[in-house]
Amino acid sequence: MAALGRLDAVVRTPESWSGVQRTSLLAGVERVRAALVGPASRVLLAHRDTPSPRRPGQGSTTAVVAAVTRVDEVEVRKQLSQGQALADMPSVARDVTDGLMPVGHLAVPAQVRDRASAVVRQWLASPSGQQSVTAWARLHEVRAFLRAGPVRRSV
């Protein structure tokens, strides 16, 4: 957190930086986001799957996590969905963590997985399915990945 505080202090006047410097910083921030997705997802899934004490009026894990993190329940459900996708697709998780698949692309296989039949879920979890997903994600920005990627065609 101290390093992030120092970074915030350095980035007070990014308009005076070169385009290369700004792009480099944005790429670094994206790498940090990617590195945090896996650990955060595993903790969220463990919290979902492990009975934990709840206060009266807090029925679901989603509500508890939303209250503690002060994040909207819709966002918590999205994070849980993406976490489950990462758990089911270790090659995809590795590519996200390594920065080969942008974090923003993760929503696509997660949404498809949530709505898919058992056959499609099995394909997504298979080595060939994961290889197809990551190969397509490496080549395309998120809209093209959503429209025409192997994930969408598999549904």
Side-chain angles (χ1 to χ4, degrees):
M1 294 309 290
L4 291 175
R6 288 190 302 277
L7 176 64
D8 187 51
V10 169
V11 185
R12 291 291 177 195
T13 57
E15 57 278 350
S16 66
W17 296 8
S18 72
V20 171
Q21 289 171 313
R22 287 191 298 268
T23 302
S24 178
L25 179 92
L26 291 172
V29 168
E30 195 59 27
R31 284 191 303 274
V32 170
R33 284 184 61 217
L36 293 172
V37 166
S41 293
R42 288 188 296 275
V43 169
L44 275 172
L45 292 176
H47 199 58
R48 179 197 66 192
D49 297 339
T50 306
S52 43
R54 294 192 174 105
R55 297 185 306 240
Q58 287 184 320
S60 70
T61 298
T62 304
V64 172
V65 171
V68 169
T69 60
R70 296 177 292 167
V71 173
D72 183 272
E73 284 188 44
V74 172
E75 179 63 23
V76 173
R77 280 192 291 277
K78 177 181 161 190
Q79 291 172 6
L80 283 166
S81 169
Q82 291 179 0
Q84 190 61 59
L86 290 173
D88 292 350
M89 298 184 281
S91 294
V92 171
R94 190 172 39 258
D95 272 11
V96 170
T97 301
D98 292 347
L100 299 172
M101 180 176 169
V103 175
H105 284 55
L106 183 55
V108 176
Q111 288 172 0
V112 171
R113 187 203 153 282
D114 289 348
R115 298 177 186 141
S117 67
V119 172
V120 172
R121 284 182 185 211
Q122 287 175 333
W123 178 80
L124 287 170
S126 74
S128 63
Q130 291 176 67
Q131 183 178 19
S132 294
V133 169
T134 58
W136 196 262
R138 289 177 188 178
L139 294 174
H140 299 284
E141 56 85 26
V142 74
R143 274 182 274 186
F145 180 56
L146 175 62
R147 279 192 312 266
V151 175
R152 189 58 72 195
R153 287 191 298 233
S154 68
V155 177

